[in-house]
């Protein structure tokens, strides 16, 4: 698998400590805002010729349209004559590998990292991803892995850095491939109801999930989070685990995630885009005291990831 897999492998190793060590909220990342709320404006109109009579005209309300959730990556690789802009509406409900797909999210308590990806069969580039290779503590520079899938089926893997802007929804990247080719560009995540960094260290009753899905060497890093305990379950009991997350407001996220170990053998279901993945034999490693766990499963795709409950 591509070196970004090391990010989730690191999560597997660090998950027990990450949920309780380091307070990202102190960096200010928990206060990031990427989209403002539209304010309705009301226009009351009446016929001027009936000024002496009470107006019976119904008020009309104009509401600004909801901003679409769009991820855009501009990437340049001069050594390969690549200068492309790939942009996808992250609300498109297709298959993450076969259709247009975009993701832009971070996972605070599990690995403290950040992932951006965008592409599709009709895009100039089938897939471009930038995944931080170390914990993020807010805006600024962090080590990152960059992958560019090419139309001919080959790919460019490069290591370097990404720099997150103050809003934690945009930034730049620069990396170098094994052949010396420089990969650079910028990214922007717009329209999400929440900032990509979804959880604050003080959130209670929240669940966060990160998963790396690999299909034939192609990868998608996706996340899920819920801040409302009524919409999720997470007892994290080593003998009878039921973890459930429904819905998410981040870009290109897991919309459903479940692990059930009530009969001894763990099973898992997750929905990404329009595709539901089901696994009957999941390897779980749980830390009940910290209410966190890691998981590995394989079928038509391979999945490795972690979850954390606060």
């Amino acid at each position: 698998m591509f070196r970004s897999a090391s990010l989730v492998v690191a999560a597997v190793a660090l998950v027990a400590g990450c949920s309780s060590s380091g307070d990202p909220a102190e960096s200010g990342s928990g206060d990031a805002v990427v989209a403002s709320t539209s304010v309705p404006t009301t226009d009351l109109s009446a016929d001027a010729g009936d000024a002496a009579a009470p107006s019976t005209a119904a008020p009309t309300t104009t509401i600004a349209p909801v901003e679409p959730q769009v991820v855009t990556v501009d990437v340049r690789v001069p050594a390969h004559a690549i200068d492309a802009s790939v942009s996808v509406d992250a609300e498109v409900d297709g298959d993450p590998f076969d259709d247009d797909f975009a993701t832009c999210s971070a996972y605070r308590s599990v690995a403290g990292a950040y992932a951006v990806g965008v592409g599709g069969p009709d895009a100039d580039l089938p897939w471009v991803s930038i995944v931080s290779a170390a914990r993020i503590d807010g805006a600024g520079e962090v080590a990152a892995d960059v992958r560019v899938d090419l139309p001919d089926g080959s790919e460019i893997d490069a290591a370097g850095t990404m720099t997150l802007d103050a809003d934690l929804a945009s930034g730049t990247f620069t990396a170098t491939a094994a052949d010396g080719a420089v990969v650079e560009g910028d990214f922007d995540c717009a329209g999400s109801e929440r900032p990509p960094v979804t959880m604050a260290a003080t959130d209670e009753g929240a669940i966060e999930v990160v998963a790396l899905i690999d299909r034939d060497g192609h990868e998608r890093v996706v996340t899920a989070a819920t801040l409302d305990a009524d919409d999720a379950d997470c007892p994290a009991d080593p003998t009878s685990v039921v973890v459930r997350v429904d819905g998410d407001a981040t870009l290109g996220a897991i919309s459903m995630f479940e692990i059930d170990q009530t009969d001894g053998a763990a099973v898992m279901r997750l929905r990404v885009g329009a595709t539901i993945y089901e696994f009957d034999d999941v390897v779980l490693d749980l830390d009940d005291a910290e209410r966190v766990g890691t998981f590995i499963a394989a079928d038509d795709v391979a999945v490795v990831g972690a979850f954390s409950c606060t």
Side-chain angles (χ1 to χ4, degrees), residues 74-83 146 148 156-161 173-185:
D74 297 323
V75 59
R76 298 174 295 280
V77 191
H80 294 269
I82 295 173
D83 186 351
V146 179
V148 180
I156 300 171
D157 290 336
T161 61
F173 59 91
T174 181
T176 304
D179 63 0
V182 175
V183 183
E184 60 183 4

Side-chain angles (χ1 to χ4, degrees), residues 13-133:
L14 297 175
V15 64
C18 290
S19 64
S20 57
S21 63
D23 188 349
E26 294 178 359
S27 70
S29 61
D31 297 326
V33 177
V34 298
S36 60
T37 302
S38 301
V39 178
T41 58
T42 302
D43 175 27
L44 300 180
S45 59
D47 188 344
D50 296 332
S55 173
T56 58
T60 59
T61 302
T62 302
I63 301 177
V66 176
E67 184 180 1
Q69 297 187 27
V70 176
V71 177
T72 302
V73 176
D74 297 323
V75 59
R76 298 174 295 280
V77 191
H80 294 269
I82 295 173
D83 186 351
S85 179
V86 184
S87 183
V88 170
D89 186 337
E91 294 181 298
V92 172
D93 198 27
D95 182 87
F97 292 95
D98 296 329
D99 300 312
D100 288 345
F101 185 73
T103 183
C104 182
S105 51
Y107 21 103
R108 180 190 302 279
S109 61
V110 174
Y114 197 102
V116 180
V118 62
D122 297 324
D124 291 341
L125 296 171
W127 185 251
V128 181
S129 65
I130 308 100
V131 182
S132 67

Side-chain angles (χ1 to χ4, degrees), residues 1-26:
M1 297 201 307
F2 171 45
R3 285 181 306 124
S4 68
S6 64
L7 176 66
V8 179
V9 173
V12 171
L14 297 175
V15 64
C18 290
S19 64
S20 57
S21 63
D23 188 349
E26 294 178 359

